[in-house]
């Protein structure tokens, strides 16, 4: 018996079910842009004929796509399946489940955010079209008007962080960041309200505005290394604030 024969016995090839093959075909059409947001899939009878499958098999394929939030199905005479483009909430739900199972802490998740944002700062500074600094200035202008309105300021500051990742120009960083944001959404909502009891909060907000302005200056100057280093230090300070507030809170405690 050859080594490949042994491997085949240990890892037998799984033949996909017909419903999975149908779901895979429709999924590829969505991913490739052949089907768009809100498009209605053809009638069941037409798809059954196209794929040579029974109605139960087609509906099983629908259930697969529904579980991935790629379609919604309405029953009845005016029913049918409509397409939805995937978004970060789908990845966030699965990531949240995996992090819960692994016992990840909120601090651990925030470290992931730190890594993404410092990479985004570097990439933003490498852009030569000036758009990154321009969009960040617009986000900062909103923050600067709200330093004495803590809850609204926190939302504006969060939008600044979101903008930083978007202007990095990396779809991968943007998706990863959105997934992490989805995982900690309920904590972020709590965090936005939690630290504002002290009278010094407006002063803290003004310091944050200055830090954000410093990052914009580095990005505008094209100083990629400086932007990355500065933002890593700033995000470490923010991480410590989260750690002081939530300690070793786990994701399973957070999302339960």
């Amino acid at each position: 018996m050859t080594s490949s024969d042994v491997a085949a016995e240990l890892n037998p090839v799984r033949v996909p079910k017909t419903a999975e093959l149908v779901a895979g075909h429709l999924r590829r059409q969505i991913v490739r842009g052949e089907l768009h947001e809100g498009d209605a899939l053809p009638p069941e009878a037409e798809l059954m004929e196209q794929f040579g499958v029974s109605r139960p098999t087609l509906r099983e394929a629908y259930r697969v796509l529904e579980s991935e939030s790629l379609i919604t199905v309405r029953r009845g005479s005016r029913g049918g399946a409509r397409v939805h483009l995937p978004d970060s909430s789908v990845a966030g739900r699965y990531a949240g489940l995996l992090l819960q199972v692994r016992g990840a802490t909120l601090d651990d998740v925030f470290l992931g955010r730190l890594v993404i944002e410092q990479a985004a700062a570097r990439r933003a500074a490498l852009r030569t079209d000036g758009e990154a600094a321009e969009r960040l200035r617009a986000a900062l202008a909103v923050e600067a008007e709200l330093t004495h309105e803590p809850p609204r300021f926190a939302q504006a500051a969060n939008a600044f962080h979101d903008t930083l990742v978007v202007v990095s120009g990396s779809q991968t960083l943007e998706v990863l960041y959105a997934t992490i944001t989805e995982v900690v959404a309920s904590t972020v909502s709590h965090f936005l309200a939690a630290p504002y009891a002290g009278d010094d909060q407006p002063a803290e907000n003004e310091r944050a505005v200055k830090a954000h302005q410093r990052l914009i200056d580095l990005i505008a100057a094209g100083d990629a290394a400086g932007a990355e280093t500065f933002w890593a230090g700033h995000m470490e300070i923010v991480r410590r604030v989260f750690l002081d507030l939530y300690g070793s809170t786990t994701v399973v405690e957070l999302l339960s």
Side-chain angles (χ1 to χ4, degrees):
M1 181 179 290
T2 65
S3 58
S4 59
D5 292 331
V6 173
E9 285 193 4
L10 294 175
N11 301 288
V13 175
R14 177 181 175 276
V15 179
K17 296 170 63 177
T18 302
E20 293 173 340
L21 296 173
V22 174
H25 180 88
L26 294 171
R27 186 187 300 111
R28 284 191 294 274
Q29 286 187 296
I30 295 171
V31 171
R32 291 171 180 167
E34 298 168 17
L35 293 170
H36 303 92
E37 176 76 29
D39 281 355
L41 293 184
E44 286 188 355
E46 185 177 327
L47 289 175
M48 288 161 56
E49 181 178 356
Q50 176 185 341
F51 294 115
V53 298
S54 64
R55 179 171 276 106
T57 296
L58 180 62
R59 290 187 173 178
E60 185 179 349
Y62 278 3
R63 285 192 290 273
V64 171
L65 296 174
E66 278 189 295
S67 72
E68 298 171 350
S69 299
L70 292 176
I71 66 169
T72 54
V73 180
R74 293 181 59 184
R75 308 300 178 189
S77 58
R78 295 188 177 183
R82 289 195 174 273
V83 172
H84 296 293
L85 296 182
D87 60 32
S88 60
S89 64
V90 178
R93 284 196 295 272
Y94 284 103
L97 178 61
L98 182 58
L99 290 169
Q100 288 182 69
V101 169
R102 295 191 174 191
T105 63
L106 178 61
D107 182 47
D108 185 57
V109 175
F110 195 89
L111 280 171
R113 179 181 173 182
L114 185 156
V115 171
I116 292 171
E117 287 201 37
Q118 71 181 67
R122 180 180 186 85
R123 285 183 59 90
L126 291 172
R127 294 184 59 169
T128 58
D129 56 9
E131 183 180 353
E134 181 180 348
R135 292 181 62 179
L136 287 169
R137 286 192 190 101
L140 182 62
V142 176
E143 283 185 81
E145 294 294 324
L146 298 172
T147 54
H148 286 73
E149 300 181 52
R152 293 180 64 195
F153 175 85
Q155 293 173 349
N158 212 43
F160 181 92
H161 288 261
D162 292 344
T163 301
L164 172 62
V165 178
V166 171
V167 299
S168 74
S170 168
Q171 293 295 321
T172 301
L173 290 181
E174 191 174 342
V175 169
L176 290 173
Y177 186 80
T179 299
I180 288 178
T181 301
E182 190 72 29
V183 169
V184 298
S186 58
T187 295
V188 170
S189 297
H190 184 199
F191 174 71
L192 295 181
Y196 303 126
D199 294 334
D200 62 341
Q201 192 58 48
E204 293 289 339
N205 293 345
E206 288 172 4
R207 280 192 284 273
V209 167
K210 290 179 181 178
H212 293 181
Q213 181 61 64
R214 175 59 179 160
L215 175 67
I216 294 172
D217 292 342
L218 291 166
I219 288 173
D223 186 352
E228 181 178 23
T229 300
F230 173 77
W231 201 243
H234 174 71
M235 287 298 294
E236 177 60 24
I237 293 172
V238 177
R239 186 185 74 85
R240 289 174 186 169
V241 172
F242 266 81
L243 190 59
D244 288 343
L245 283 170
Y246 297 104
S248 59
T249 300
T250 64
V251 175
V252 67
E253 294 170 320
L254 167 65
L255 298 180
S256 297

